Amino acid sequence: MASHLWYPLLLVAIFLLMQTSDCFIHSRAAFYPNSDENGTDIGACGFGSFGATINGGDVSAASDLYRGGVGCGACYQVRCTDTAHCSSKGVTVVITDQGSSHGTDFVLSQRAFSKMAQTADAAASLLSIGVVDIEYRRVSCSYPNKNITIKVDENSNFPHYMGFVIWYQQGIKDITAVQLCETQNFVCKLLDRSYGAVWTTTTPPSGPLQVRMLFSDDDGDETWLVPVNNIPEDWKAGETYDTGVQVNI
């Protein structure tokens, strides 16, 4: 084959290989030194005790990936790069908090940090090191047999205030906007992101309510999700309400 024919093919092959290698981003990770394997129940995302045990306790705080709260609920595959101790699979974590340590992108729960290792002995070695080189990539969140769920803030009090956090965020997109709609006249109110994953309004609508969520990605692709189930008219502070939907977007 003439050189002028195979050379472009070689460049294409190299480009595809680079794209595959670049799926993972290099960084560093630490772990919560005072955690009891799980995450924290006072995380900056506002998940409360749910944030310590979601995903089986495989959770993490993030620094830049927190993104002002937009990153809350996002899932990442994280794997350390020391081949003597680390597995090729690593661990999938959910962002539930904000924080960094020694220039890290992730501060994992002890449970998640240990799961990056090949064996129990290797996990002990990783924990003794404390901060390790890693590579990570965004992956889709999946919660089998779980629907997206609305947890109403304990301080909510109609008609003065309503706040809630969204549990079991699924797929690979971010929730970038939330509307609260009256189901009887279809009037919708755009909510404020108070902090983390907490959405609030000082003038909650009355009657049965529908929570509409906008899922967005970096490419500008946006999808409004309309739940099957509504929040009942007599909603209670501190209660959870199943939306009846699962997503894979």
Side-chain angles (χ1 to χ4, degrees):
M1 182 182 296
S3 60
H4 68 279
L5 294 178
W6 63 260
Y7 184 71
L9 295 177
L10 178 62
L11 291 179
V12 170
I14 293 174
F15 173 77
L16 292 175
L17 180 61
M18 288 176 64
Q19 290 297 101
T20 303
S21 302
D22 289 346
C23 285
F24 284 89
I25 299 171
H26 294 278
S27 184
R28 290 164 64 78
F31 66 91
Y32 287 103
N34 57 347
S35 71
D36 54 354
E37 289 198 349
N38 292 335
T40 175
D41 58 4
I42 55 172
C45 288
F47 290 125
S49 59
F50 172 79
T53 58
I54 185 177
N55 195 39
D58 292 337
V59 298
S60 179
S63 52
D64 292 344
L65 295 174
Y66 178 76
R67 292 177 290 144
V70 176
C72 291
C75 293
Y76 293 88
Q77 180 186 2
V78 182
R79 60 189 189 188
C80 51
T81 57
D82 180 355
T83 56
H85 298 99
C86 305
S87 71
S88 59
K89 181 180 179 181
V91 62
T92 297
V93 296
V94 182
I95 301 303
T96 60
D97 195 7
Q98 180 183 27
S100 63
S101 175
H102 302 288
T104 63
D105 274 312
F106 296 89
V107 182
L108 306 175
S109 64
Q110 284 198 33
R111 172 187 173 89
F113 197 87
S114 298
K115 287 179 72 171
M116 292 191 295
Q118 298 174 13
T119 64
D121 288 342
S125 297
L126 287 182
L127 290 170
S128 67
I129 296 171
V131 181
V132 296
D133 292 326
I134 59 146
E135 53 187 14
Y136 70 90
R137 63 179 176 181
R138 180 83 180 262
V139 295
S140 181
C141 295
S142 178
Y143 303 101
N145 305 316
K146 296 290 186 182
N147 296 326
I148 294 177
T149 300
I150 305 299
K151 168 66 163 55
V152 179
D153 187 278
E154 286 80 357
N155 296 315
S156 296
N157 181 22
F158 183 83
H160 307 293
Y161 168 78
M162 184 181 188
F164 58 79
V165 65
I166 299 170
W167 288 3
Y168 303 118
Q169 177 180 330
Q170 299 157 10
I172 201 167
K173 294 184 179 181
D174 300 316
I175 297 177
T176 54
V178 174
Q179 289 182 335
L180 195 59
C181 305
E182 297 182 17
T183 59
Q184 296 176 348
N185 58 19
F186 301 106
V187 173
C188 294
K189 179 181 181 62
L190 191 64
L191 302 188
D192 298 316
R193 184 190 294 275
S194 177
Y195 69 95
V198 180
W199 299 89
T200 63
T201 175
T202 54
T203 55
S206 60
L209 302 174
Q210 182 184 81
V211 177
R212 300 179 72 230
M213 293 160 278
L214 182 64
F215 284 77
S216 308
D217 63 20
D218 292 338
D219 296 327
D221 184 32
E222 297 182 333
T223 303
W224 279 102
L225 176 71
V226 180
V228 174
N229 300 331
N230 298 323
I231 296 176
E233 181 176 5
D234 60 344
W235 55 265
K236 301 291 192 302
E239 290 295 312
T240 58
Y241 298 99
D242 189 328
T243 66
V245 295
Q246 297 182 19
V247 300
N248 186 23
I249 55 177

